[in-house]
Amino acid sequence: MNRCSTFAICWLATLALAPAQDLLVRAKTVVVATDTVLTDGSLLVRQGKIAWVGDDIPADARGRATVVDYGDATIVPGFVLPPTTLGRDRDLAEAALPFTPDLRAAEAFDPWQEELLALPRAGITSLMLAPSPRNVAAGIGALVKPGKDRGSIAVQELPVVLSLAQEARTPERAPTSLMGAVDLLRTAFAAAKAGTGGGPDVAVLRQALEGSRRIVVHADTFIELAAALDLAQEFGFEPLLVGARDAEKVLPRIVAQQAAIALDTLRTDMRLAQLRLPARLAEAGVPFCFGGRAEAVRVSAVLAVRFGLDRKLALQALTRTPAVLLDQADVVGSLRQGTAADFAVWTGDPIDLSSALVATWIDGVRVHGDAPKPAPTPTTVPATASNPAAAGER
Amino acid sequence: MRITRSQSVFAAVTLFAGSAALAAQDPPPAPATTPPAATPEPAAPDARRDGERERRPRRQPIVLEAGTVHPVSGPAIADGVVVVRGERIVAIGKRGDVEIPANATVHSFPHGHLYPGFVDASTDAFTDQSLRTDGSSDGGALFADDLRLQHDRGDELVQAGVTTAYVTVRSPALVRGQGAIVRPRQHGFELWRGKEHAALQLRMTEGPVPSHPLQRQQQLQAADALFEGLDEFRKARTDHEEALKKYEKDFADYLAFHQKKKDDKKPDGAPAPAGAQPRPATGERQGPPREGRPRGNRGGGGGGGGGGEPPKDPPRAGDGPDAAAGDGASDGPSGSDVERALATLLDALAQDPPQQDPPAQDPPKPAGTPASQPPQNPADEKDDKKDEAPKRPTWPKPPPPDPQREALLQVVDGELPLRVEAHRADELRAAVRLQREREIPVLVLEQAHGAASVADQLAERGIAVVLTDVLPVPFEPPYDAFEPATLPAKLHAAGVSFAIASGRDAYSPLLPLLAAAAVGGGLPREHALRAITLTPAEILGVANETGSLQPGKLADVVVTDRPLFQSDSRILMVLAKGRTEYEAK
């Protein structure tokens, strides 16, 4: 009896832990990465990761896998959001103390947050949950993903987040001014560089300066950006600037210092120069990604394209670039072998507003949308004898 | 029109202040607005020369060849051609099927796409902040009077392919005013002749925000109450018109009678002075007392004249019809001529020493006597004449002017569409009810986010909808029932006629993107294109002139380098009324 029940328990446990069935996902267009687009391509998803891509898929795996055929759709990597608090500003900033670079955003992560679970509806599959810019040195972010019922933390330790933005300066505690904030950071960086002393907070900065952590700096206006770039130059790091509203004024320095930018939401009522900024950054070779409000990130990309950005670069700025900037290029941002199976299925290129989202998959699980229909998706008008031209895009 | 001294002073001061203000600003690169009454050509010297230069090439036909031509009124034409002569399209078809005029200027876009000029069914371009926030306007406010260039990106409509736009504002007023249809131009805009007052704007909602039920109810009741008393107002107006006609006729008879009498008298007394001098001959004055002898300062007073303005009070006894008959009546019985003559007479008489007939002969009449009898001479010589003499008619007082009611009457008569902003389903149903109960022929709903649930009613009653918040951002739907992205598809499925519009000048240049978002929500592409071209033209009542590429229509054409709904499609050329308003370098 004992052995039987043990065996039963073991067998059940094996079942529970057994790898899920492989999935062979195919669609008319599969964007593996910006420069790798497959036509009638397939992906083999195993245990939540991309095991093989396209022609590399071995025949036996292909044979054994469950086919998920999305017909005429376009599969792109899920969008990756740069540092954001997802609206939970209060819990993601220790506002009483300005300098807390060792605090972890992961510890305030709410897996059931509504805004998080709504992200797949916009094609977003992962984001950096970051401490709020209300602190001069707010802490360490985490890579989190939404899920069907709850979110999860993918990577615990991500770049450290600093802030020189307006919100970091309040009259209620030091520093109350930009001067004070810059001085605080300079002192801390100097202490970090100097030796091995200081507490865990300085240690974080030390790791960042040694290159094992990226440094994210919130800065909007010209003076904030200039101050951030000055610090970066003095201590030898390449910052990821978040916000960067006046970036065009410091563009030469950004290029020279190889900084990167996470743009705020693009709106139609912005100045023309701001709407054309993504195109200019692309021309200058500055890596940038779209941030701001999560649900508006696709429209930001569309507006950038409307005002001159190349569409492939726009898609890259939604997927691969933020992954690179967060040092997670092996994990998210593309559908290469070994990355997580985070992808979104659209009826066409997501850069065109005329494309609709069909489904979103995270870690090999469909978290939004329906199972693929057997018939082809209806937006392409079929060519008929009387309407040959309509077969193309209108 | 006579301009009083104070009015001319005021005008001078305003002009001076205005020119001082203009001098203080940077001069605009090109002349700013074309005021409604001005000619379409801009006023700057360069532009005038341009306009004259342009006239010659415009008579030369223009031919546009493109990889794909989308007429909207029919299927797309591959390798198509559009021929434009003057302001209009004369031919459209496949290349080879259409005759190309010999002297035409040919523009060729081998991979390009030709579309009709876009029609923005609702925008607030060319309005300034004061108009947009004016909560005190009413139905008589004409937006056409207040349009002007803003000198920012919001003016650049035609460069984005919008060749016709309906301008209105989202002010807090209940009845916002009457919108105008404009034709954006390269440097400015011009009003569409005959459509300067194109629709009446009514707001039946607080906005796309959660609101209190009581507040909503008050709003709906206020909207309904606007239509109260319209019948009485209409009746008062028609009664007044009839009374005016009767007055003219009666007055003509009255004058004719006295003229005749004067003519009869001519052989007896001194000949009546013809022409200038309205003063009756002395002989007549001394003669037997006549009806309506002029009295010094009686009656309407000298200044009452001019174009038919009536004397302030109902004409009292003592006005001089017989002298007025000298000039006025011979012109024919038109009320204003008569009045003018009367006024001239009274002017002249005002300088006369009043003939001192005993006041008893002229019994004082209380004000407002409806039909004042000419003073009867106690002498009975004229008894017989008294019987035949027609009574001096009273000028009928017009009802107090009410431009809002005038506009509402036009709405009820079907001359002016009513455009109602209503968001929630209950507000929309109230609008439908309003249409039914007040028998409003043309109703258009704006910003009808909750229309999905009432779509069948709208289709049944032929109510059109103008959708403005089609992009999922930045509009944040306050209710889950509002799904801006899928609404166009749902309305299309129900058969409701709808246009996709920008609502704001910031979105006007992005009209194709808004239509693309509707496609993303499930709307078929051809219908999304129609929703920014032919359907808004129909809703605005200009579908016979623009909205599609058809021979006979105005040559409003947009050329893009790739299909319109792709985010990176660029506009290569825009023609409006056959004139090149934009050409990409």
Side-chain angles (χ1 to χ4, degrees), chain B residues 30-81:
Chain B
T33 49
T34 41
T39 66
E41 297 295 327
D46 289 330
R48 203 181 293 121
R49 281 209 306 278
D50 275 337
E52 289 172 10
R53 269 208 301 273
E54 275 179 326
R55 255 183 251 130
R56 261 174 280 119
R58 276 181 69 199
R59 279 197 225 108
Q60 218 183 355
I62 301 175
V63 170
L64 300 167
E65 297 175 342
T68 320
V69 172
H70 306 262
V72 176
S73 51
I77 303 169
D79 216 18
V81 158

Short mmCIF file of all heavy atoms in Angstrom, two decimals, chain B residues 30-81:
data_model
loop_
_atom_site.label_atom_id
_atom_site.label_comp_id
_atom_site.label_asym_id
_atom_site.label_seq_id
_atom_site.Cartn_x
_atom_site.Cartn_y
_atom_site.Cartn_z
N ALA B 30 2.16 85.30 -44.81
CA ALA B 30 1.22 85.60 -45.89
C ALA B 30 0.01 86.20 -45.24
O ALA B 30 -0.18 86.03 -44.05
CB ALA B 30 0.86 84.32 -46.63
N PRO B 31 -0.79 86.87 -45.95
CA PRO B 31 -1.94 87.50 -45.29
C PRO B 31 -2.79 86.47 -44.60
O PRO B 31 -2.94 85.38 -45.09
CB PRO B 31 -2.71 88.15 -46.45
CG PRO B 31 -2.21 87.46 -47.65
CD PRO B 31 -0.80 87.06 -47.39
N ALA B 32 -3.32 86.88 -43.51
CA ALA B 32 -3.97 85.92 -42.62
C ALA B 32 -5.30 85.43 -43.19
O ALA B 32 -5.35 84.78 -44.19
CB ALA B 32 -4.17 86.53 -41.25
N THR B 33 -6.36 85.79 -42.55
CA THR B 33 -7.62 85.20 -42.99
C THR B 33 -8.13 85.89 -44.22
O THR B 33 -7.84 87.03 -44.49
CB THR B 33 -8.68 85.38 -41.94
OG1 THR B 33 -8.66 86.76 -41.55
CG2 THR B 33 -8.39 84.54 -40.73
N THR B 34 -8.93 85.16 -44.90
CA THR B 34 -9.78 85.81 -45.89
C THR B 34 -11.11 85.99 -45.20
O THR B 34 -11.77 85.02 -44.88
CB THR B 34 -9.94 84.91 -47.12
OG1 THR B 34 -10.11 83.56 -46.67
CG2 THR B 34 -8.72 84.97 -48.00
N PRO B 35 -11.50 87.21 -44.95
CA PRO B 35 -12.79 87.39 -44.26
C PRO B 35 -13.91 86.85 -45.13
O PRO B 35 -13.76 86.77 -46.33
CB PRO B 35 -12.90 88.91 -44.09
CG PRO B 35 -11.82 89.49 -44.92
CD PRO B 35 -10.82 88.45 -45.23
N PRO B 36 -14.97 86.47 -44.55
CA PRO B 36 -16.01 85.73 -45.28
C PRO B 36 -16.46 86.44 -46.54
O PRO B 36 -16.67 85.83 -47.56
CB PRO B 36 -17.15 85.63 -44.28
CG PRO B 36 -16.48 85.76 -42.96
CD PRO B 36 -15.25 86.57 -43.14
N ALA B 37 -16.56 87.75 -46.44
CA ALA B 37 -17.11 88.42 -47.60
C ALA B 37 -16.07 88.71 -48.65
O ALA B 37 -16.40 89.12 -49.75
CB ALA B 37 -17.76 89.72 -47.16
N ALA B 38 -14.79 88.48 -48.33
CA ALA B 38 -13.74 88.87 -49.28
C ALA B 38 -13.61 87.83 -50.38
O ALA B 38 -14.14 86.74 -50.31
CB ALA B 38 -12.41 89.04 -48.56
N THR B 39 -12.83 88.21 -51.37
CA THR B 39 -12.63 87.27 -52.48
C THR B 39 -11.71 86.15 -52.02
O THR B 39 -10.97 86.30 -51.07
CB THR B 39 -11.97 87.97 -53.67
OG1 THR B 39 -10.65 88.34 -53.26
CG2 THR B 39 -12.74 89.22 -54.05
N PRO B 40 -11.70 85.05 -52.72
CA PRO B 40 -10.85 83.93 -52.30
C PRO B 40 -9.37 84.23 -52.40
O PRO B 40 -8.58 83.63 -51.73
CB PRO B 40 -11.22 82.81 -53.28
CG PRO B 40 -12.52 83.22 -53.84
CD PRO B 40 -12.57 84.71 -53.82
N GLU B 41 -8.94 85.14 -53.27
CA GLU B 41 -7.52 85.36 -53.42
C GLU B 41 -6.96 86.04 -52.19
O GLU B 41 -7.55 86.98 -51.68
CB GLU B 41 -7.26 86.26 -54.63
CG GLU B 41 -7.69 85.65 -55.95
CD GLU B 41 -6.90 84.40 -56.29
OE1 GLU B 41 -5.72 84.35 -55.94
OE2 GLU B 41 -7.47 83.48 -56.90
N PRO B 42 -5.77 85.59 -51.70
CA PRO B 42 -5.14 86.30 -50.58
C PRO B 42 -4.79 87.72 -51.00
O PRO B 42 -4.59 88.00 -52.17
CB PRO B 42 -3.88 85.49 -50.31
CG PRO B 42 -4.07 84.21 -51.02
CD PRO B 42 -5.03 84.44 -52.14
N ALA B 43 -4.66 88.59 -50.02
CA ALA B 43 -4.57 89.99 -50.35
C ALA B 43 -3.15 90.49 -50.57
O ALA B 43 -2.96 91.58 -51.04
CB ALA B 43 -5.23 90.81 -49.25
N ALA B 44 -2.11 89.69 -50.20
CA ALA B 44 -0.74 90.22 -50.32
C ALA B 44 -0.39 90.40 -51.79
O ALA B 44 -0.85 89.64 -52.64
CB ALA B 44 0.24 89.26 -49.66
N PRO B 45 0.46 91.34 -52.05
CA PRO B 45 0.77 91.64 -53.46
C PRO B 45 1.33 90.42 -54.19
O PRO B 45 0.93 90.13 -55.31
CB PRO B 45 1.81 92.74 -53.39
CG PRO B 45 1.76 93.26 -52.01
CD PRO B 45 1.08 92.28 -51.14
N ASP B 46 2.25 89.70 -53.52
CA ASP B 46 2.81 88.52 -54.19
C ASP B 46 1.72 87.55 -54.56
O ASP B 46 1.67 87.03 -55.64
CB ASP B 46 3.80 87.80 -53.26
CG ASP B 46 5.06 88.62 -53.12
OD1 ASP B 46 5.38 89.34 -54.09
OD2 ASP B 46 5.69 88.56 -52.08
N ALA B 47 0.89 87.34 -53.58
CA ALA B 47 -0.12 86.31 -53.80
C ALA B 47 -1.07 86.75 -54.89
O ALA B 47 -1.58 85.94 -55.65
CB ALA B 47 -0.86 86.04 -52.51
N ARG B 48 -1.29 88.04 -54.96
CA ARG B 48 -2.20 88.47 -56.01
C ARG B 48 -1.58 88.18 -57.35
O ARG B 48 -2.22 87.70 -58.27
CB ARG B 48 -2.49 89.97 -55.87
CG ARG B 48 -3.78 90.37 -56.51
CD ARG B 48 -4.08 91.84 -56.40
NE ARG B 48 -4.32 92.26 -55.04
CZ ARG B 48 -3.60 93.19 -54.41
NH1 ARG B 48 -2.62 93.79 -55.02
NH2 ARG B 48 -3.86 93.51 -53.17
N ARG B 49 -0.29 88.44 -57.42
CA ARG B 49 0.37 88.14 -58.70
C ARG B 49 0.32 86.64 -58.94
O ARG B 49 0.08 86.19 -60.04
CB ARG B 49 1.83 88.60 -58.66
CG ARG B 49 2.01 90.08 -58.88
CD ARG B 49 3.34 90.33 -59.52
NE ARG B 49 4.43 89.72 -58.76
CZ ARG B 49 4.99 90.26 -57.69
NH1 ARG B 49 4.59 91.43 -57.25
NH2 ARG B 49 5.95 89.64 -57.04
N ASP B 50 0.56 85.87 -57.84
CA ASP B 50 0.50 84.42 -58.00
C ASP B 50 -0.86 84.00 -58.49
O ASP B 50 -0.99 83.18 -59.37
CB ASP B 50 0.75 83.73 -56.65
CG ASP B 50 2.24 83.57 -56.43
OD1 ASP B 50 2.96 83.57 -57.45
OD2 ASP B 50 2.66 83.44 -55.28
N GLY B 51 -1.86 84.62 -57.91
CA GLY B 51 -3.21 84.23 -58.30
C GLY B 51 -3.45 84.51 -59.75
O GLY B 51 -4.02 83.71 -60.48
N GLU B 52 -2.93 85.64 -60.20
CA GLU B 52 -3.15 85.96 -61.61
C GLU B 52 -2.32 85.03 -62.48
O GLU B 52 -2.77 84.57 -63.50
CB GLU B 52 -2.75 87.42 -61.88
CG GLU B 52 -3.75 88.38 -61.26
CD GLU B 52 -3.28 89.81 -61.34
OE1 GLU B 52 -2.29 90.06 -62.04
OE2 GLU B 52 -3.92 90.66 -60.73
N ARG B 53 -1.09 84.77 -62.03
CA ARG B 53 -0.28 83.85 -62.83
C ARG B 53 -0.95 82.48 -62.88
O ARG B 53 -0.96 81.83 -63.89
CB ARG B 53 1.11 83.68 -62.20
CG ARG B 53 2.12 84.64 -62.71
CD ARG B 53 3.49 84.00 -62.59
NE ARG B 53 3.80 83.64 -61.21
CZ ARG B 53 4.36 84.49 -60.35
NH1 ARG B 53 4.65 85.72 -60.70
NH2 ARG B 53 4.60 84.12 -59.12
N GLU B 54 -1.51 82.11 -61.71
CA GLU B 54 -2.08 80.77 -61.64
C GLU B 54 -3.26 80.63 -62.56
O GLU B 54 -3.57 79.55 -63.03
CB GLU B 54 -2.52 80.46 -60.21
CG GLU B 54 -1.41 79.92 -59.36
CD GLU B 54 -1.91 79.66 -57.95
OE1 GLU B 54 -2.78 80.41 -57.47
OE2 GLU B 54 -1.43 78.72 -57.36
N ARG B 55 -3.94 81.72 -62.81
CA ARG B 55 -5.15 81.56 -63.60
C ARG B 55 -4.83 81.00 -64.96
O ARG B 55 -5.61 80.25 -65.52
CB ARG B 55 -5.86 82.91 -63.73
CG ARG B 55 -7.09 82.99 -62.84
CD ARG B 55 -7.85 84.27 -62.99
NE ARG B 55 -7.69 85.09 -61.82
CZ ARG B 55 -7.33 86.38 -61.85
NH1 ARG B 55 -7.09 86.97 -62.97
NH2 ARG B 55 -7.20 87.07 -60.75
N ARG B 56 -3.69 81.39 -65.49
CA ARG B 56 -3.42 80.88 -66.83
C ARG B 56 -3.16 79.38 -66.81
O ARG B 56 -3.81 78.64 -67.51
CB ARG B 56 -2.28 81.65 -67.48
CG ARG B 56 -2.82 82.73 -68.44
CD ARG B 56 -1.75 83.61 -69.01
NE ARG B 56 -1.35 84.65 -68.07
CZ ARG B 56 -0.11 84.76 -67.59
NH1 ARG B 56 0.83 83.94 -67.96
NH2 ARG B 56 0.19 85.72 -66.75
N PRO B 57 -2.22 78.88 -65.97
CA PRO B 57 -2.02 77.43 -66.01
C PRO B 57 -3.26 76.66 -65.60
O PRO B 57 -3.45 75.53 -66.00
CB PRO B 57 -0.88 77.16 -65.02
CG PRO B 57 -0.44 78.46 -64.55
CD PRO B 57 -1.23 79.54 -65.19
N ARG B 58 -4.12 77.26 -64.78
CA ARG B 58 -5.26 76.48 -64.37
C ARG B 58 -6.18 76.21 -65.52
O ARG B 58 -6.95 75.27 -65.50
CB ARG B 58 -6.00 77.19 -63.25
CG ARG B 58 -5.40 76.89 -61.91
CD ARG B 58 -6.14 77.55 -60.81
NE ARG B 58 -7.46 76.97 -60.63
CZ ARG B 58 -8.45 77.60 -60.00
NH1 ARG B 58 -8.28 78.79 -59.53
NH2 ARG B 58 -9.61 77.02 -59.85
N ARG B 59 -6.19 77.06 -66.51
CA ARG B 59 -7.05 76.75 -67.64
C ARG B 59 -6.45 75.61 -68.43
O ARG B 59 -7.16 74.93 -69.16
CB ARG B 59 -7.23 77.98 -68.53
CG ARG B 59 -8.26 78.93 -68.00
CD ARG B 59 -8.72 79.91 -69.05
NE ARG B 59 -8.76 81.24 -68.46
CZ ARG B 59 -7.89 82.19 -68.76
NH1 ARG B 59 -6.92 81.97 -69.61
NH2 ARG B 59 -7.97 83.37 -68.18
N GLN B 60 -5.16 75.43 -68.23
CA GLN B 60 -4.55 74.29 -68.88
C GLN B 60 -4.95 73.05 -68.11
O GLN B 60 -4.86 73.03 -66.89
CB GLN B 60 -3.04 74.45 -68.80
CG GLN B 60 -2.32 74.00 -70.01
CD GLN B 60 -0.83 74.12 -69.79
OE1 GLN B 60 -0.38 74.63 -68.78
NE2 GLN B 60 -0.08 73.65 -70.76
N PRO B 61 -5.37 72.02 -68.79
CA PRO B 61 -5.80 70.84 -68.05
C PRO B 61 -4.63 70.19 -67.32
O PRO B 61 -3.49 70.29 -67.74
CB PRO B 61 -6.36 69.90 -69.12
CG PRO B 61 -6.20 70.58 -70.41
CD PRO B 61 -5.51 71.86 -70.24
N ILE B 62 -4.95 69.52 -66.25
CA ILE B 62 -3.96 68.79 -65.47
C ILE B 62 -4.33 67.33 -65.54
O ILE B 62 -5.50 66.97 -65.41
CB ILE B 62 -3.96 69.25 -64.00
CG1 ILE B 62 -3.68 70.74 -63.92
CG2 ILE B 62 -2.93 68.47 -63.19
CD1 ILE B 62 -3.80 71.28 -62.52
N VAL B 63 -3.32 66.51 -65.74
CA VAL B 63 -3.57 65.07 -65.78
C VAL B 63 -2.73 64.43 -64.69
O VAL B 63 -1.54 64.71 -64.56
CB VAL B 63 -3.19 64.49 -67.16
CG1 VAL B 63 -3.20 62.98 -67.11
CG2 VAL B 63 -4.14 64.99 -68.21
N LEU B 64 -3.35 63.60 -63.89
CA LEU B 64 -2.65 62.87 -62.84
C LEU B 64 -2.70 61.39 -63.18
O LEU B 64 -3.78 60.83 -63.36
CB LEU B 64 -3.31 63.11 -61.48
CG LEU B 64 -3.36 64.55 -61.00
CD1 LEU B 64 -4.31 64.70 -59.84
CD2 LEU B 64 -1.98 65.01 -60.58
N GLU B 65 -1.52 60.82 -63.26
CA GLU B 65 -1.47 59.37 -63.50
C GLU B 65 -0.89 58.71 -62.27
O GLU B 65 0.11 59.18 -61.72
CB GLU B 65 -0.54 59.06 -64.69
CG GLU B 65 -0.99 59.64 -66.00
CD GLU B 65 0.04 59.39 -67.10
OE1 GLU B 65 1.20 59.08 -66.76
OE2 GLU B 65 -0.33 59.52 -68.27
N ALA B 66 -1.50 57.64 -61.84
CA ALA B 66 -0.99 57.00 -60.63
C ALA B 66 -1.15 55.50 -60.73
O ALA B 66 -1.99 54.99 -61.47
CB ALA B 66 -1.73 57.52 -59.41
N GLY B 67 -0.32 54.81 -59.95
CA GLY B 67 -0.39 53.36 -59.93
C GLY B 67 -1.75 52.85 -59.53
O GLY B 67 -2.24 51.86 -60.05
N THR B 68 -2.38 53.53 -58.59
CA THR B 68 -3.73 53.13 -58.18
C THR B 68 -4.54 54.39 -57.93
O THR B 68 -4.09 55.29 -57.23
CB THR B 68 -3.71 52.31 -56.88
OG1 THR B 68 -2.61 51.43 -56.89
CG2 THR B 68 -5.00 51.52 -56.70
N VAL B 69 -5.73 54.42 -58.49
CA VAL B 69 -6.63 55.53 -58.26
C VAL B 69 -7.83 55.01 -57.47
O VAL B 69 -8.43 54.01 -57.84
CB VAL B 69 -7.11 56.14 -59.60
CG1 VAL B 69 -8.20 57.17 -59.36
CG2 VAL B 69 -5.94 56.78 -60.33
N HIS B 70 -8.14 55.69 -56.37
CA HIS B 70 -9.25 55.25 -55.51
C HIS B 70 -10.36 56.28 -55.60
O HIS B 70 -10.32 57.28 -54.89
CB HIS B 70 -8.78 55.14 -54.06
CG HIS B 70 -7.58 54.27 -53.86
ND1 HIS B 70 -7.69 52.96 -53.45
CD2 HIS B 70 -6.27 54.51 -54.03
CE1 HIS B 70 -6.47 52.44 -53.37
NE2 HIS B 70 -5.59 53.36 -53.71
N PRO B 71 -11.33 56.07 -56.45
CA PRO B 71 -12.37 57.09 -56.59
C PRO B 71 -13.35 57.16 -55.43
O PRO B 71 -14.03 58.15 -55.26
CB PRO B 71 -13.10 56.70 -57.89
CG PRO B 71 -12.58 55.39 -58.30
CD PRO B 71 -11.50 54.96 -57.39
N VAL B 72 -13.45 56.12 -54.65
CA VAL B 72 -14.37 55.96 -53.51
C VAL B 72 -15.78 55.69 -53.99
O VAL B 72 -16.51 54.92 -53.37
CB VAL B 72 -14.34 57.18 -52.55
CG1 VAL B 72 -15.37 57.02 -51.43
CG2 VAL B 72 -12.96 57.35 -51.96
N SER B 73 -16.18 56.34 -55.07
CA SER B 73 -17.53 56.07 -55.56
C SER B 73 -17.58 54.78 -56.37
O SER B 73 -18.65 54.36 -56.79
CB SER B 73 -17.99 57.23 -56.45
OG SER B 73 -16.99 57.49 -57.41
N GLY B 74 -16.41 54.18 -56.59
CA GLY B 74 -16.38 52.93 -57.33
C GLY B 74 -15.13 52.15 -56.93
O GLY B 74 -14.39 52.57 -56.05
N PRO B 75 -14.90 51.02 -57.57
CA PRO B 75 -13.73 50.23 -57.19
C PRO B 75 -12.43 50.94 -57.59
O PRO B 75 -12.42 51.81 -58.46
CB PRO B 75 -13.91 48.92 -57.98
CG PRO B 75 -14.84 49.25 -59.08
CD PRO B 75 -15.70 50.37 -58.63
N ALA B 76 -11.35 50.52 -57.00
CA ALA B 76 -10.05 51.13 -57.28
C ALA B 76 -9.65 50.83 -58.72
O ALA B 76 -9.98 49.78 -59.27
CB ALA B 76 -9.00 50.59 -56.31
N ILE B 77 -8.93 51.76 -59.31
CA ILE B 77 -8.51 51.60 -60.70
C ILE B 77 -7.00 51.47 -60.72
O ILE B 77 -6.28 52.38 -60.26
CB ILE B 77 -8.92 52.85 -61.52
CG1 ILE B 77 -10.42 53.08 -61.41
CG2 ILE B 77 -8.50 52.67 -62.98
CD1 ILE B 77 -10.86 54.41 -61.96
N ALA B 78 -6.51 50.35 -61.22
CA ALA B 78 -5.07 50.19 -61.34
C ALA B 78 -4.59 50.98 -62.54
O ALA B 78 -5.25 50.97 -63.58
CB ALA B 78 -4.73 48.72 -61.49
N ASP B 79 -3.44 51.61 -62.40
CA ASP B 79 -2.89 52.37 -63.52
C ASP B 79 -3.92 53.38 -64.02
O ASP B 79 -4.31 53.38 -65.19
CB ASP B 79 -2.49 51.40 -64.65
CG ASP B 79 -1.26 51.88 -65.36
OD1 ASP B 79 -0.54 52.72 -64.80
OD2 ASP B 79 -1.02 51.40 -66.49
N GLY B 80 -4.38 54.20 -63.13
CA GLY B 80 -5.49 55.08 -63.44
C GLY B 80 -5.05 56.49 -63.79
O GLY B 80 -3.90 56.90 -63.58
N VAL B 81 -6.01 57.23 -64.31
CA VAL B 81 -5.75 58.59 -64.78
C VAL B 81 -6.91 59.47 -64.36
O VAL B 81 -8.07 59.06 -64.45
CB VAL B 81 -5.61 58.59 -66.32
CG1 VAL B 81 -5.88 59.95 -66.89
CG2 VAL B 81 -4.23 58.12 -66.72
#
